[in-house]
Amino acid sequence: MLSEDQPHWNCHNYSWYLLNFFVASVLPIDEIVLWAHDVGAKVLVDACQSVPHMVVDVKDLDVDFLVASSHKMCGPTGIGFLYGKSELLSAMPPFLGGGEMISDVFLDHSTYADPPSRFEAGTPAIGEAIGLGAAIDYLSEIGMQKIHNYEVDLANYLYESLRSVHGVRIYGPAPSQTVQRAALCSFNVDDIHPTDLATFLDQQHGVAIRSGHHCAQPLHRYLGISASARASLYFYNTKEDVDDFIRALKDTINFFTSFK
């Protein structure tokens, strides 16, 4: 757990995700957008970790651009999407040349198609796009608010369960009536490298977690840690899955501490 002498978590400092998938914080993107627009900046939000887990309204957030990836939304790999305000996209030049992105071609110049075709040169990833569409329909039928509510409950259960394990330090804010955590916990165990934890959990218990930097090396450096472990959940996970993970984690810790 975080001790009292560690720095307070100011979620404005670390990431432009709607969710920070290292410390599990929900970030105030609407406020960040206001601050950025006040100084004339444009805002691109990396919502790959957010769109699959919560309701995201680009118009309500007033973001200029927003990106997300298919494979985190139960869709195929190798495809994602970019949202952009139409006036911004129309003012941007293409970055790739090929079929479908041209309007007219002359010997000395070319004109370009209107967005989105301007940015979709060549043969598109047709199969992947169909799969992404099916995944969006699937999540929409379940209901993003329903998914979010379920994950909030699951996140609290994971946090409290992991908190009970001796020697575990969890990173990020504790859940409360005013603080919602994403359904994950990044953590370390005293005197055990996170990669050793992840390997043993996988090979001995069939439990898959992630170890490493989690795309957050500056934050790890700030915290003074070389790496961390992360247990992540989605709407298809259950509290029973959390219980299995905790039992496996305790067994893993007992294994490594038995050598001391």
Side-chain angles (χ1 to χ4, degrees), residues 112-155:
Y112 304 113
D114 292 331
S117 297
R118 179 180 303 180
F119 306 107
E120 297 179 354
T123 303
I126 300 169
E128 290 85 348
I130 293 171
L132 172 56
I136 292 171
D137 290 341
Y138 173 64
L139 295 178
S140 298
E141 287 174 9
I142 296 173
M144 294 311 303
Q145 190 61 53
K146 184 176 180 180
I147 290 173
H148 177 66
N149 293 342
Y150 176 74
E151 287 191 17
V152 168
D153 182 55
L154 203 59

Side-chain angles (χ1 to χ4, degrees), residues 62 162 174 215:
D62 196 28
L162 190 58
C215 303

Side-chain angles (χ1 to χ4, degrees), residues 173-225:
S176 67
Q177 290 185 342
T178 57
V179 175
Q180 290 185 354
R181 287 179 58 94
L184 65 95
C185 281
S186 295
F187 65 98
N188 271 315
V189 178
D190 292 343
D191 301 321
I192 305 176
H193 195 279
T195 299
D196 293 334
L197 279 177
T199 301
F200 195 90
L201 283 168
D202 176 31
Q203 296 185 359
Q204 297 298 317
H205 295 281
V207 174
I209 66 171
R210 181 176 173 181
S211 64
H213 299 123
H214 319 298
C215 303
Q217 282 182 292
L219 181 50
H220 279 74
R221 195 174 297 117
Y222 177 81
L223 293 171
I225 55 177

Side-chain angles (χ1 to χ4, degrees), residues 5-258:
D5 59 347
Q6 286 183 281
H8 293 292
W9 289 95
N10 182 340
C11 59
H12 300 174
N13 291 340
Y14 299 122
S15 176
W16 288 69
Y17 291 108
L18 286 170
L19 297 178
N20 185 308
F21 260 54
F22 174 63
V23 295
S25 300
V26 180
L27 305 186
I29 294 297
D30 52 348
E31 296 180 29
I32 293 172
V33 170
L34 284 174
W35 300 334
H37 286 171
D38 280 346
V39 296
K42 304 300 180 187
V43 179
L44 186 152
V45 173
D46 179 349
C48 294
Q49 309 285 15
S50 312
V51 167
H53 300 277
M54 61 195 301
V55 176
V56 177
D57 188 328
V58 293
K59 291 186 177 180
D60 184 55
L61 293 172
D62 196 28
V63 295
D64 301 296
F65 303 96
L66 182 140
V67 294
S69 57
S70 168
H71 72 280
K72 296 182 183 296
M73 302 168 61
C74 303
T77 58
I79 191 171
F81 66 83
L82 164 70
Y83 160 83
K85 291 181 176 178
S86 58
E87 64 271 19
L88 296 176
L89 293 175
S90 296
M92 293 169 58
F95 68 101
L96 292 174
E100 300 298 327
M101 48 78 64
I102 289 293
S103 177
D104 291 299
V105 178
F106 302 89
L107 292 178
D108 57 348
H109 71 281
S110 299
T111 59
Y112 304 113
D114 292 331
S117 297
R118 179 180 303 180
F119 306 107
E120 297 179 354
T123 303
I126 300 169
E128 290 85 348
I130 293 171
L132 172 56
I136 292 171
D137 290 341
Y138 173 64
L139 295 178
S140 298
E141 287 174 9
I142 296 173
M144 294 311 303
Q145 190 61 53
K146 184 176 180 180
I147 290 173
H148 177 66
N149 293 342
Y150 176 74
E151 287 191 17
V152 168
D153 182 55
L154 203 59
N156 294 342
Y157 188 78
L158 172 64
Y159 184 91
E160 294 301 329
S161 299
L162 190 58
R163 182 185 180 188
S164 68
V165 181
H166 179 72
V168 169
R169 171 172 292 191
I170 304 173
Y171 301 103
S176 67
Q177 290 185 342
T178 57
V179 175
Q180 290 185 354
R181 287 179 58 94
L184 65 95
C185 281
S186 295
F187 65 98
N188 271 315
V189 178
D190 292 343
D191 301 321
I192 305 176
H193 195 279
T195 299
D196 293 334
L197 279 177
T199 301
F200 195 90
L201 283 168
D202 176 31
Q203 296 185 359
Q204 297 298 317
H205 295 281
V207 174
I209 66 171
R210 181 176 173 181
S211 64
H213 299 123
H214 319 298
C215 303
Q217 282 182 292
L219 181 50
H220 279 74
R221 195 174 297 117
Y222 177 81
L223 293 171
I225 55 177
S226 61
S228 61
R230 188 183 72 190
S232 304
L233 305 171
Y234 200 18
F235 67 86
Y236 45 65
N237 290 116
T238 64
K239 291 182 178 179
E240 288 74 22
D241 291 333
V242 175
D243 294 338
D244 290 340
F245 161 61
I246 296 298
R247 281 192 293 268
L249 179 63
K250 289 179 178 179
D251 181 73
T252 300
I253 294 172
N254 288 337
F255 171 79
F256 282 104
T257 55
S258 67

